Amino acid sequence: MTDQTPSTGAPGPRRPRGSGGSHRETEVERLHRLEGASRVDQRRGDTRRHVDAATVAGLDIPTRPDPAAPPTSVAQSGPTGFPTPSGPARARRRSRRGGMTRFLGLLGLLGFLVTWQLLPLTGIVNPAYLPPASAAITDLFRNLGLAAFWEAVGDTMWQWLLGMVIAVTAAAVLGFVIGSSTVLRRFTNSTIEFLRPVPSVALIPLAVLLYGVDIESALLLIVYASFWQVLIQVLYGVADVDNVAMNTARSYGLGPFARLRYVIFPTTLPYLMTGIRLAAAVALILAITAQLIIGTPGLGAEIAKAQSGGSYVAMYGLVLATGLLGVLINLVMRIIERRVLSWHSSVRTEVVK
C-alpha cells in the first residue's frame, strides 16, 4: 500500500493531516484547564496559586519541564490544597500560637480576680468572710517581707521534697520488680486495687496515733498518696515493653540488668516522668492538708492559725501563696520532664507543634 497523505513540501519528517489543528486544540485545552484551576483556587482564597496559574498560562510550552504539572506540588500544598508552612513561616505560626495561649491564660486569671473582687463589693458574699482580691494580694506581698512566712514555706517544701523522694524511690523499685514478673503482678494485683483508692486523709487518725503532730505524720500521708501515682505508671510502662525487643535482647545474650537498662527503662521512663509530675501536685496537696488538720509546721498551719484568729485577709493571702507554689512546682516538673525526655517522640512533637 502507498501513503496517500499529501506532502507539505517542508523538509523533515512528514506530519499527518490536521496535526497543526490538533496541536492548537491541545494548547487551547491546556490554557482552559489552567484558567479553570486558577478560578477554583481563587474561590478558595489561594491567590498565590491563582497568580502562578495565570503566569504559567502566558508561557510557552518549552519553558516548563512538564506543562501538565500543577504550579504547586501536593507536598507543598498539603492534603487540604492550601500551602503548608515550613521553616520561618512555621516558627512564626508557633510563636503566634504560644503568644495567644499565654494571652488567653492571663485573660482567664484576670477574669477570676475580677469576679473575686466584685463578689464582696456587690454584697453577693459577706466581705467579712471573703475580702476583695486586692486586699488578699496586698497581704500576700506584705508576707514576702516576713521571715515567718518564708520559714513556713521552707517547712512545706521540705516535707514535700522528703515525701516525693521516698515515694518515687519506693514506687519505682517496686514497679520494676513487680512489672517484670508475671507471678508477682498477678499476686499483687488485688492488693494494689484495694489499697490504691483509699483516701490519704482517711489515714490521718492513724498518722496522729503513730507520730503525733510531728513531721512524720505529714510524710506518711504524702508518701501514701504519691506512691500509687508513680507505681501505677511504672507498671503500665513495664507492660508496654515490646516483646520483640525483649526477645531480641535475650537472643543477643543480655542479662536481666542489661535488659532493664537498655530495653525496659527507656520504655518506662516516659510513664515514670508522668507519674512523678502527677505525684508532685498530689504531694503538695497532702502536705498542706496535713499541716492544716494535724498541725505540723508549714503554710497549712499558718492558714489554720489565721482562720482561728479571725484574720481572713491573711488567710486568703496564704491561700494564694499555696496556689503560687503549686504553679511553680508544675512548671519546674514540666521543664525537668522535657529535658529528661528530649529524645522521646512525644516531646519532639510537642516542640514542633
Side-chain angles (χ1 to χ4, degrees), residues 137-179:
I137 295 174
T138 303
D139 191 79
L140 173 63
F141 281 104
R142 185 185 62 82
N143 286 333
L144 296 180
L146 301 178
F149 171 76
W150 290 110
E151 185 178 353
V153 172
D155 290 335
T156 301
M157 294 307 297
W158 176 243
Q159 295 170 26
W160 173 85
L161 180 62
L162 278 181
M164 282 293 296
V165 170
I166 297 173
V168 171
T169 304
V173 173
L174 285 179
F176 282 116
V177 172
I178 295 174

mmCIF file of all heavy atoms in Angstrom, residues 137-179:
data_model
loop_
_atom_site.group_PDB
_atom_site.id
_atom_site.type_symbol
_atom_site.label_atom_id
_atom_site.label_comp_id
_atom_site.label_asym_id
_atom_site.label_seq_id
_atom_site.Cartn_x
_atom_site.Cartn_y
_atom_site.Cartn_z
ATOM 1 N N ILE A 137 -4.227 40.093 97.825
ATOM 2 C CA ILE A 137 -2.959 40.220 97.089
ATOM 3 C C ILE A 137 -2.011 41.168 97.816
ATOM 4 O O ILE A 137 -0.799 40.922 97.912
ATOM 5 C CB ILE A 137 -3.241 40.699 95.656
ATOM 6 C CG1 ILE A 137 -4.033 39.623 94.895
ATOM 7 C CG2 ILE A 137 -1.948 41.034 94.926
ATOM 8 C CD1 ILE A 137 -4.484 40.053 93.527
ATOM 9 N N THR A 138 -2.568 42.261 98.376
ATOM 10 C CA THR A 138 -1.733 43.192 99.135
ATOM 11 C C THR A 138 -1.121 42.512 100.354
ATOM 12 O O THR A 138 0.066 42.697 100.672
ATOM 13 C CB THR A 138 -2.582 44.397 99.582
ATOM 14 O OG1 THR A 138 -3.153 45.013 98.432
ATOM 15 C CG2 THR A 138 -1.743 45.406 100.335
ATOM 16 N N ASP A 139 -1.927 41.679 101.033
ATOM 17 C CA ASP A 139 -1.392 40.961 102.205
ATOM 18 C C ASP A 139 -0.347 39.936 101.790
ATOM 19 O O ASP A 139 0.617 39.704 102.542
ATOM 20 C CB ASP A 139 -2.545 40.269 102.936
ATOM 21 C CG ASP A 139 -2.108 39.736 104.287
ATOM 22 O OD1 ASP A 139 -2.022 40.524 105.241
ATOM 23 O OD2 ASP A 139 -1.813 38.519 104.364
ATOM 24 N N LEU A 140 -0.516 39.328 100.607
ATOM 25 C CA LEU A 140 0.492 38.375 100.131
ATOM 26 C C LEU A 140 1.836 39.073 99.908
ATOM 27 O O LEU A 140 2.891 38.546 100.305
ATOM 28 C CB LEU A 140 0.004 37.735 98.825
ATOM 29 C CG LEU A 140 1.025 36.834 98.110
ATOM 30 C CD1 LEU A 140 1.397 35.637 98.976
ATOM 31 C CD2 LEU A 140 0.469 36.371 96.766
ATOM 32 N N PHE A 141 1.805 40.247 99.297
ATOM 33 C CA PHE A 141 3.060 40.986 99.097
ATOM 34 C C PHE A 141 3.658 41.418 100.426
ATOM 35 O O PHE A 141 4.882 41.485 100.579
ATOM 36 C CB PHE A 141 2.806 42.205 98.205
ATOM 37 C CG PHE A 141 2.732 41.854 96.748
ATOM 38 C CD1 PHE A 141 1.515 41.808 96.084
ATOM 39 C CD2 PHE A 141 3.886 41.559 96.027
ATOM 40 C CE1 PHE A 141 1.447 41.484 94.746
ATOM 41 C CE2 PHE A 141 3.825 41.224 94.690
ATOM 42 C CZ PHE A 141 2.606 41.182 94.041
ATOM 43 N N ARG A 142 2.805 41.705 101.411
ATOM 44 C CA ARG A 142 3.330 42.065 102.733
ATOM 45 C C ARG A 142 4.038 40.875 103.375
ATOM 46 O O ARG A 142 5.076 41.030 104.033
ATOM 47 C CB ARG A 142 2.175 42.550 103.621
ATOM 48 C CG ARG A 142 2.610 43.063 104.985
ATOM 49 C CD ARG A 142 1.388 43.412 105.835
ATOM 50 N NE ARG A 142 0.560 42.235 106.086
ATOM 51 C CZ ARG A 142 0.815 41.345 107.038
ATOM 52 N NH1 ARG A 142 1.853 41.514 107.838
ATOM 53 N NH2 ARG A 142 0.020 40.322 107.203
ATOM 54 N N ASN A 143 3.477 39.661 103.138
ATOM 55 C CA ASN A 143 4.102 38.468 103.720
ATOM 56 C C ASN A 143 5.485 38.182 103.134
ATOM 57 O O ASN A 143 6.308 37.528 103.786
ATOM 58 C CB ASN A 143 3.201 37.247 103.484
ATOM 59 C CG ASN A 143 1.978 37.258 104.373
ATOM 60 O OD1 ASN A 143 1.995 37.843 105.467
ATOM 61 N ND2 ASN A 143 0.900 36.648 103.914
ATOM 62 N N LEU A 144 5.711 38.630 101.902
ATOM 63 C CA LEU A 144 7.004 38.351 101.261
ATOM 64 C C LEU A 144 8.170 38.960 102.043
ATOM 65 O O LEU A 144 9.309 38.510 101.908
ATOM 66 C CB LEU A 144 7.008 38.882 99.824
ATOM 67 C CG LEU A 144 6.007 38.220 98.873
ATOM 68 C CD1 LEU A 144 6.103 38.838 97.486
ATOM 69 C CD2 LEU A 144 6.221 36.710 98.800
ATOM 70 N N GLY A 145 7.883 39.976 102.854
ATOM 71 C CA GLY A 145 8.939 40.599 103.642
ATOM 72 C C GLY A 145 9.055 40.059 105.046
ATOM 73 O O GLY A 145 9.850 40.596 105.848
ATOM 74 N N LEU A 146 8.294 39.014 105.388
ATOM 75 C CA LEU A 146 8.314 38.460 106.746
ATOM 76 C C LEU A 146 9.113 37.165 106.776
ATOM 77 O O LEU A 146 8.944 36.288 105.919
ATOM 78 C CB LEU A 146 6.880 38.194 107.234
ATOM 79 C CG LEU A 146 5.946 39.414 107.286
ATOM 80 C CD1 LEU A 146 4.552 38.993 107.727
ATOM 81 C CD2 LEU A 146 6.506 40.488 108.220
ATOM 82 N N ALA A 147 9.963 37.024 107.801
ATOM 83 C CA ALA A 147 10.770 35.806 107.931
ATOM 84 C C ALA A 147 9.902 34.609 108.294
ATOM 85 O O ALA A 147 10.185 33.467 107.863
ATOM 86 C CB ALA A 147 11.852 36.018 108.992
ATOM 87 N N ALA A 148 8.834 34.832 109.081
ATOM 88 C CA ALA A 148 7.958 33.722 109.469
ATOM 89 C C ALA A 148 7.279 33.093 108.249
ATOM 90 O O ALA A 148 7.074 31.871 108.198
ATOM 91 C CB ALA A 148 6.918 34.217 110.468
ATOM 92 N N PHE A 149 6.961 33.938 107.270
ATOM 93 C CA PHE A 149 6.329 33.419 106.058
ATOM 94 C C PHE A 149 7.283 32.489 105.302
ATOM 95 O O PHE A 149 6.903 31.381 104.898
ATOM 96 C CB PHE A 149 5.911 34.591 105.162
ATOM 97 C CG PHE A 149 5.446 34.171 103.795
ATOM 98 C CD1 PHE A 149 4.185 33.621 103.614
ATOM 99 C CD2 PHE A 149 6.269 34.321 102.691
ATOM 100 C CE1 PHE A 149 3.761 33.226 102.347
ATOM 101 C CE2 PHE A 149 5.854 33.944 101.427
ATOM 102 C CZ PHE A 149 4.597 33.390 101.259
ATOM 103 N N TRP A 150 8.519 32.919 105.141
ATOM 104 C CA TRP A 150 9.479 32.091 104.403
ATOM 105 C C TRP A 150 9.842 30.829 105.182
ATOM 106 O O TRP A 150 10.158 29.790 104.594
ATOM 107 C CB TRP A 150 10.729 32.903 104.091
ATOM 108 C CG TRP A 150 10.455 33.965 103.065
ATOM 109 C CD1 TRP A 150 10.416 35.308 103.259
ATOM 110 C CD2 TRP A 150 10.150 33.755 101.695
ATOM 111 N NE1 TRP A 150 10.109 35.966 102.095
ATOM 112 C CE2 TRP A 150 9.952 35.030 101.108
ATOM 113 C CE3 TRP A 150 10.036 32.631 100.881
ATOM 114 C CZ2 TRP A 150 9.631 35.189 99.763
ATOM 115 C CZ3 TRP A 150 9.722 32.789 99.546
ATOM 116 C CH2 TRP A 150 9.532 34.058 98.999
ATOM 117 N N GLU A 151 9.793 30.918 106.528
ATOM 118 C CA GLU A 151 10.036 29.710 107.324
ATOM 119 C C GLU A 151 8.912 28.688 107.108
ATOM 120 O O GLU A 151 9.174 27.479 106.981
ATOM 121 C CB GLU A 151 10.114 30.092 108.807
ATOM 122 C CG GLU A 151 10.476 28.920 109.704
ATOM 123 C CD GLU A 151 10.595 29.344 111.166
ATOM 124 O OE1 GLU A 151 10.524 30.574 111.439
ATOM 125 O OE2 GLU A 151 10.739 28.461 112.026
ATOM 126 N N ALA A 152 7.682 29.169 107.015
ATOM 127 C CA ALA A 152 6.560 28.263 106.751
ATOM 128 C C ALA A 152 6.664 27.670 105.346
ATOM 129 O O ALA A 152 6.392 26.475 105.140
ATOM 130 C CB ALA A 152 5.238 29.020 106.915
ATOM 131 N N VAL A 153 7.074 28.492 104.381
ATOM 132 C CA VAL A 153 7.267 27.983 103.017
ATOM 133 C C VAL A 153 8.365 26.914 102.999
ATOM 134 O O VAL A 153 8.226 25.862 102.353
ATOM 135 C CB VAL A 153 7.597 29.136 102.056
ATOM 136 C CG1 VAL A 153 7.993 28.599 100.682
ATOM 137 C CG2 VAL A 153 6.413 30.078 101.917
ATOM 138 N N GLY A 154 9.454 27.168 103.731
ATOM 139 C CA GLY A 154 10.537 26.192 103.790
ATOM 140 C C GLY A 154 10.097 24.877 104.403
ATOM 141 O O GLY A 154 10.462 23.792 103.919
ATOM 142 N N ASP A 155 9.297 24.931 105.487
ATOM 143 C CA ASP A 155 8.792 23.696 106.103
ATOM 144 C C ASP A 155 7.910 22.911 105.128
ATOM 145 O O ASP A 155 8.007 21.681 105.032
ATOM 146 C CB ASP A 155 8.003 24.043 107.366
ATOM 147 C CG ASP A 155 8.901 24.558 108.481
ATOM 148 O OD1 ASP A 155 10.108 24.214 108.471
ATOM 149 O OD2 ASP A 155 8.412 25.327 109.339
ATOM 150 N N THR A 156 7.063 23.634 104.426
ATOM 151 C CA THR A 156 6.180 22.955 103.465
ATOM 152 C C THR A 156 6.974 22.294 102.352
ATOM 153 O O THR A 156 6.725 21.126 101.992
ATOM 154 C CB THR A 156 5.188 23.975 102.863
ATOM 155 O OG1 THR A 156 4.416 24.563 103.913
ATOM 156 C CG2 THR A 156 4.256 23.301 101.871
ATOM 157 N N MET A 157 7.933 23.010 101.791
ATOM 158 C CA MET A 157 8.710 22.446 100.677
ATOM 159 C C MET A 157 9.608 21.304 101.152
ATOM 160 O O MET A 157 9.865 20.359 100.397
ATOM 161 C CB MET A 157 9.553 23.551 100.033
ATOM 162 C CG MET A 157 8.730 24.633 99.353
ATOM 163 S SD MET A 157 7.552 23.956 98.162
ATOM 164 C CE MET A 157 8.642 23.202 96.976
ATOM 165 N N TRP A 158 10.102 21.383 102.388
ATOM 166 C CA TRP A 158 10.939 20.297 102.904
ATOM 167 C C TRP A 158 10.119 19.015 103.058
ATOM 168 O O TRP A 158 10.570 17.928 102.681
ATOM 169 C CB TRP A 158 11.547 20.712 104.239
ATOM 170 C CG TRP A 158 12.352 19.660 104.912
ATOM 171 C CD1 TRP A 158 12.100 19.076 106.122
ATOM 172 C CD2 TRP A 158 13.542 19.042 104.424
ATOM 173 N NE1 TRP A 158 13.048 18.138 106.414
ATOM 174 C CE2 TRP A 158 13.960 18.094 105.379
ATOM 175 C CE3 TRP A 158 14.295 19.193 103.267
ATOM 176 C CZ2 TRP A 158 15.086 17.299 105.222
ATOM 177 C CZ3 TRP A 158 15.429 18.402 103.101
ATOM 178 C CH2 TRP A 158 15.806 17.465 104.069
ATOM 179 N N GLN A 159 8.921 19.129 103.608
ATOM 180 C CA GLN A 159 8.061 17.952 103.718
ATOM 181 C C GLN A 159 7.684 17.424 102.340
ATOM 182 O O GLN A 159 7.647 16.202 102.123
ATOM 183 C CB GLN A 159 6.798 18.318 104.512
ATOM 184 C CG GLN A 159 7.077 18.690 105.954
ATOM 185 C CD GLN A 159 5.862 19.272 106.649
ATOM 186 O OE1 GLN A 159 4.723 18.989 106.279
ATOM 187 N NE2 GLN A 159 6.092 20.080 107.674
ATOM 188 N N TRP A 160 7.416 18.313 101.421
ATOM 189 C CA TRP A 160 7.072 17.885 100.046
ATOM 190 C C TRP A 160 8.238 17.140 99.410
ATOM 191 O O TRP A 160 8.046 16.083 98.799
ATOM 192 C CB TRP A 160 6.720 19.124 99.225
ATOM 193 C CG TRP A 160 6.520 18.847 97.767
ATOM 194 C CD1 TRP A 160 5.375 18.428 97.164
ATOM 195 C CD2 TRP A 160 7.498 18.968 96.732
ATOM 196 N NE1 TRP A 160 5.576 18.259 95.828
ATOM 197 C CE2 TRP A 160 6.861 18.589 95.528
ATOM 198 C CE3 TRP A 160 8.825 19.355 96.693
ATOM 199 C CZ2 TRP A 160 7.539 18.593 94.307
ATOM 200 C CZ3 TRP A 160 9.496 19.347 95.488
ATOM 201 C CH2 TRP A 160 8.854 18.980 94.308
ATOM 202 N N LEU A 161 9.450 17.675 99.567
ATOM 203 C CA LEU A 161 10.611 17.050 98.938
ATOM 204 C C LEU A 161 10.912 15.678 99.545
ATOM 205 O O LEU A 161 11.157 14.703 98.818
ATOM 206 C CB LEU A 161 11.827 17.967 99.082
ATOM 207 C CG LEU A 161 13.134 17.463 98.467
ATOM 208 C CD1 LEU A 161 12.978 17.285 96.964
ATOM 209 C CD2 LEU A 161 14.279 18.420 98.770
ATOM 210 N N LEU A 162 10.886 15.578 100.886
ATOM 211 C CA LEU A 162 11.141 14.293 101.525
ATOM 212 C C LEU A 162 10.105 13.249 101.111
ATOM 213 O O LEU A 162 10.445 12.096 100.792
ATOM 214 C CB LEU A 162 11.130 14.456 103.053
ATOM 215 C CG LEU A 162 12.416 14.981 103.705
ATOM 216 C CD1 LEU A 162 12.216 15.060 105.211
ATOM 217 C CD2 LEU A 162 13.592 14.078 103.379
ATOM 218 N N GLY A 163 8.850 13.648 101.119
ATOM 219 C CA GLY A 163 7.793 12.721 100.724
ATOM 220 C C GLY A 163 7.942 12.264 99.283
ATOM 221 O O GLY A 163 7.738 11.082 98.961
ATOM 222 N N MET A 164 8.322 13.184 98.378
ATOM 223 C CA MET A 164 8.493 12.820 96.973
ATOM 224 C C MET A 164 9.655 11.854 96.783
ATOM 225 O O MET A 164 9.556 10.884 96.020
ATOM 226 C CB MET A 164 8.716 14.093 96.148
ATOM 227 C CG MET A 164 7.459 14.875 95.860
ATOM 228 S SD MET A 164 6.333 13.993 94.769
ATOM 229 C CE MET A 164 7.306 13.896 93.276
ATOM 230 N N VAL A 165 10.762 12.108 97.462
ATOM 231 C CA VAL A 165 11.931 11.221 97.310
ATOM 232 C C VAL A 165 11.602 9.810 97.774
ATOM 233 O O VAL A 165 11.904 8.817 97.094
ATOM 234 C CB VAL A 165 13.131 11.805 98.085
ATOM 235 C CG1 VAL A 165 14.266 10.796 98.139
ATOM 236 C CG2 VAL A 165 13.614 13.095 97.431
ATOM 237 N N ILE A 166 10.952 9.711 98.940
ATOM 238 C CA ILE A 166 10.616 8.379 99.467
ATOM 239 C C ILE A 166 9.618 7.677 98.547
ATOM 240 O O ILE A 166 9.774 6.499 98.198
ATOM 241 C CB ILE A 166 10.061 8.511 100.898
ATOM 242 C CG1 ILE A 166 11.138 9.088 101.830
ATOM 243 C CG2 ILE A 166 9.582 7.160 101.408
ATOM 244 C CD1 ILE A 166 10.623 9.420 103.219
ATOM 245 N N ALA A 167 8.581 8.408 98.138
ATOM 246 C CA ALA A 167 7.525 7.784 97.330
ATOM 247 C C ALA A 167 8.041 7.372 95.952
ATOM 248 O O ALA A 167 7.758 6.257 95.488
ATOM 249 C CB ALA A 167 6.355 8.768 97.179
ATOM 250 N N VAL A 168 8.796 8.236 95.292
ATOM 251 C CA VAL A 168 9.284 7.917 93.943
ATOM 252 C C VAL A 168 10.269 6.758 93.986
ATOM 253 O O VAL A 168 10.212 5.845 93.145
ATOM 254 C CB VAL A 168 9.920 9.169 93.307
ATOM 255 C CG1 VAL A 168 10.627 8.808 92.008
ATOM 256 C CG2 VAL A 168 8.861 10.221 93.042
ATOM 257 N N THR A 169 11.172 6.761 94.964
ATOM 258 C CA THR A 169 12.147 5.672 95.054
ATOM 259 C C THR A 169 11.467 4.331 95.298
ATOM 260 O O THR A 169 11.733 3.340 94.596
ATOM 261 C CB THR A 169 13.152 5.965 96.179
ATOM 262 O OG1 THR A 169 13.765 7.235 95.951
ATOM 263 C CG2 THR A 169 14.216 4.891 96.238
ATOM 264 N N ALA A 170 10.577 4.301 96.282
ATOM 265 C CA ALA A 170 9.909 3.032 96.613
ATOM 266 C C ALA A 170 9.021 2.563 95.463
ATOM 267 O O ALA A 170 9.027 1.374 95.098
ATOM 268 C CB ALA A 170 9.080 3.208 97.891
ATOM 269 N N ALA A 171 8.271 3.478 94.867
ATOM 270 C CA ALA A 171 7.346 3.082 93.800
ATOM 271 C C ALA A 171 8.094 2.645 92.542
ATOM 272 O O ALA A 171 7.676 1.692 91.867
ATOM 273 C CB ALA A 171 6.413 4.244 93.478
ATOM 274 N N ALA A 172 9.195 3.306 92.210
ATOM 275 C CA ALA A 172 9.945 2.922 91.008
ATOM 276 C C ALA A 172 10.566 1.536 91.170
ATOM 277 O O ALA A 172 10.471 0.687 90.269
ATOM 278 C CB ALA A 172 11.019 3.967 90.717
ATOM 279 N N VAL A 173 11.194 1.292 92.341
ATOM 280 C CA VAL A 173 11.821 -0.024 92.559
ATOM 281 C C VAL A 173 10.768 -1.128 92.546
ATOM 282 O O VAL A 173 10.905 -2.148 91.846
ATOM 283 C CB VAL A 173 12.609 -0.014 93.881
ATOM 284 C CG1 VAL A 173 13.110 -1.409 94.202
ATOM 285 C CG2 VAL A 173 13.776 0.961 93.783
ATOM 286 N N LEU A 174 9.694 -0.936 93.310
ATOM 287 C CA LEU A 174 8.649 -1.965 93.357
ATOM 288 C C LEU A 174 7.960 -2.119 92.000
ATOM 289 O O LEU A 174 7.582 -3.230 91.608
ATOM 290 C CB LEU A 174 7.629 -1.609 94.435
ATOM 291 C CG LEU A 174 8.071 -1.830 95.871
ATOM 292 C CD1 LEU A 174 6.968 -1.404 96.836
ATOM 293 C CD2 LEU A 174 8.422 -3.294 96.098
ATOM 294 N N GLY A 175 7.791 -1.021 91.288
ATOM 295 C CA GLY A 175 7.147 -1.107 89.975
ATOM 296 C C GLY A 175 7.951 -1.935 88.993
ATOM 297 O O GLY A 175 7.392 -2.768 88.267
ATOM 298 N N PHE A 176 9.276 -1.736 88.959
ATOM 299 C CA PHE A 176 10.110 -2.529 88.055
ATOM 300 C C PHE A 176 10.141 -3.995 88.478
ATOM 301 O O PHE A 176 10.129 -4.890 87.632
ATOM 302 C CB PHE A 176 11.530 -1.963 88.019
ATOM 303 C CG PHE A 176 11.652 -0.746 87.169
ATOM 304 C CD1 PHE A 176 11.993 0.478 87.711
ATOM 305 C CD2 PHE A 176 11.437 -0.819 85.800
ATOM 306 C CE1 PHE A 176 12.101 1.612 86.925
ATOM 307 C CE2 PHE A 176 11.544 0.305 85.003
ATOM 308 C CZ PHE A 176 11.877 1.524 85.565
ATOM 309 N N VAL A 177 10.196 -4.243 89.790
ATOM 310 C CA VAL A 177 10.252 -5.634 90.260
ATOM 311 C C VAL A 177 8.931 -6.341 89.981
ATOM 312 O O VAL A 177 8.902 -7.462 89.427
ATOM 313 C CB VAL A 177 10.593 -5.663 91.765
ATOM 314 C CG1 VAL A 177 10.457 -7.081 92.311
ATOM 315 C CG2 VAL A 177 11.998 -5.141 91.996
ATOM 316 N N ILE A 178 7.827 -5.716 90.358
ATOM 317 C CA ILE A 178 6.522 -6.361 90.163
ATOM 318 C C ILE A 178 6.190 -6.477 88.677
ATOM 319 O O ILE A 178 5.694 -7.506 88.215
ATOM 320 C CB ILE A 178 5.430 -5.554 90.916
ATOM 321 C CG1 ILE A 178 5.684 -5.617 92.417
ATOM 322 C CG2 ILE A 178 4.051 -6.098 90.594
ATOM 323 C CD1 ILE A 178 4.751 -4.735 93.228
ATOM 324 N N GLY A 179 6.474 -5.427 87.919
ATOM 325 C CA GLY A 179 6.129 -5.451 86.498
ATOM 326 C C GLY A 179 6.930 -6.451 85.703
ATOM 327 O O GLY A 179 6.469 -6.932 84.656
#
